[in-house]
């Protein structure tokens, strides 16, 4: 059975294929559908954005679609940058986003934050979402070179004082918001009656 993963990232495709090994699913990505329009993401929640992407692609491709949306929520900033994580700073680079985040938290003692990822599955007769979260805190200065985005300024509770950018990819995937959301993919497929 065909399953279209709404990403051009080959790493995500490899991970999902490994997760669904031994099932009848053939995982396609947007690279296999170059004619599809770029999906929008202008919702207020990760759920709304993931569903919007999956619905728009499903409307064109007419095969079951999986899409995800993710970001960082900081408690002292009322959940910002949240759904605006990618474009938090005007420059919208990872370095500028991290610098702006540290500036906003300057002098604040409440450093609580979490990464969030929501996965949406849209099929002909069913749609649903699953959420994964990774709790932690924002450090005072960036540390580490692995990963991407806010990884150098985010210290997950489960990494013993290291930032996400100081973890290996295997360590990150075991505790990350994305790993936890994608781990629920078989459950979503079962609820959709596909597994
Ligand atoms: P998207 O869901 O892939 O569009 O991610 C939105 C933004 O959230 C990214 O551009 C990053 O700034 C941030 N983000 C999402 N996941 C991660 C992560 O695993 N590490 C660091 N930053 C992340």
């Amino acid at each position: 059975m065909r399953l279209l993963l709404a990403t051009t990232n080959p790493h995500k495709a490899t991970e999902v294929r490994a997760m669904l090994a031994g099932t009848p699913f053939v995982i396609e990505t947007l690279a296999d559908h170059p004619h599809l329009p770029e999906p929008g993401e202008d919702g207020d929640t990760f759920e709304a954005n993931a569903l919007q992407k999956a619905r728009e692609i499903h409307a064109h491709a007419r095969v079951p679609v999986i899409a995800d949306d993710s970001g960082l929520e900081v408690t002292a900033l009322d959940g910002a940058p949240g759904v605006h994580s990618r474009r938090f700073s005007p420059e919208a680079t990872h370095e500028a986003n991290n610098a702006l985040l540290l500036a906003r938290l300057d002098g604040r003692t409440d450093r609580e934050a979490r990464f969030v990822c929501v996965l949406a599955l849209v099929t002909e007769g069913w749609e649903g979402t699953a959420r994964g979260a990774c709790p932690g805190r924002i450090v005072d200065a960036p540390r580490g070179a692995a990963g991407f985005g806010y990884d150098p300024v985010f210290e997950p509770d489960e990494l013993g004082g290291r930032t996400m950018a100081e973890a290996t990819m295997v360590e990150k995937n075991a505790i990350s918001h994305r790993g936890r959301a994608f781990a629920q993919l078989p459950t979503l497929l079962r609820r959709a009656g596909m597994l």
Side-chain angles (χ1 to χ4, degrees):
M1 191 187 296
R2 295 166 68 192
L3 196 54
L4 174 52
L5 188 59
T7 183
T8 49
N9 181 340
H11 297 289
K12 279 190 189 170
T14 304
E15 281 181 23
V16 174
R17 285 194 182 103
M19 234 174 266
L20 296 176
T23 67
F25 293 106
V26 178
I27 307 299
E28 301 173 0
T29 70
L30 295 182
D32 302 307
H33 296 261
H35 55 284
L36 290 180
E38 179 86 1
E41 46 177 301
D42 44 33
D44 290 339
T45 63
F46 297 113
E47 275 79 5
N49 281 337
L51 273 171
Q52 182 182 359
K53 282 188 248 185
R55 282 181 191 140
E56 284 180 19
I57 292 171
H58 178 259
H60 285 90
R62 308 312 307 180
V63 293
V65 175
I66 303 164
D68 73 328
D69 193 47
S70 59
L72 177 72
E73 289 180 343
V74 180
T75 305
L77 302 180
D78 296 324
V83 291
H84 307 295
S85 291
R86 196 180 342 169
R87 308 199 167 278
F88 185 41
S89 63
E91 300 87 342
T93 62
H94 294 323
E95 292 75 17
N97 287 344
N98 285 337
L100 178 60
L101 180 64
L102 294 182
R104 290 268 171 93
L105 289 176
D106 195 28
R108 310 283 297 251
T109 50
D110 179 8
R111 316 288 294 190
E112 185 185 76
R114 74 203 58 78
F115 276 134
V116 175
C117 176
V118 170
L119 198 64
L121 171 65
V122 172
T123 72
E124 204 54 50
W126 192 88
E127 61 179 37
T129 60
R131 172 179 272 243
C134 178
R137 58 185 290 282
I138 304 301
V139 296
D140 293 328
R143 294 196 318 265
F148 71 101
Y150 298 94
D151 283 346
V153 297
F154 181 78
E155 204 178 79
D157 290 345
E158 293 138 291
L159 273 186
R162 287 178 295 156
T163 67
M164 201 64 120
E166 294 175 309
T168 64
M169 195 182 294
V170 171
E171 285 175 317
K172 176 176 175 178
N173 289 344
I175 61 162
S176 82
H177 49 313
R178 198 168 297 103
R180 287 175 171 155
F182 274 93
Q184 298 171 65
L185 181 54
T187 309
L188 274 185
L189 291 167
R190 268 191 291 277
R191 286 170 55 204
M194 295 172 63
L195 198 64

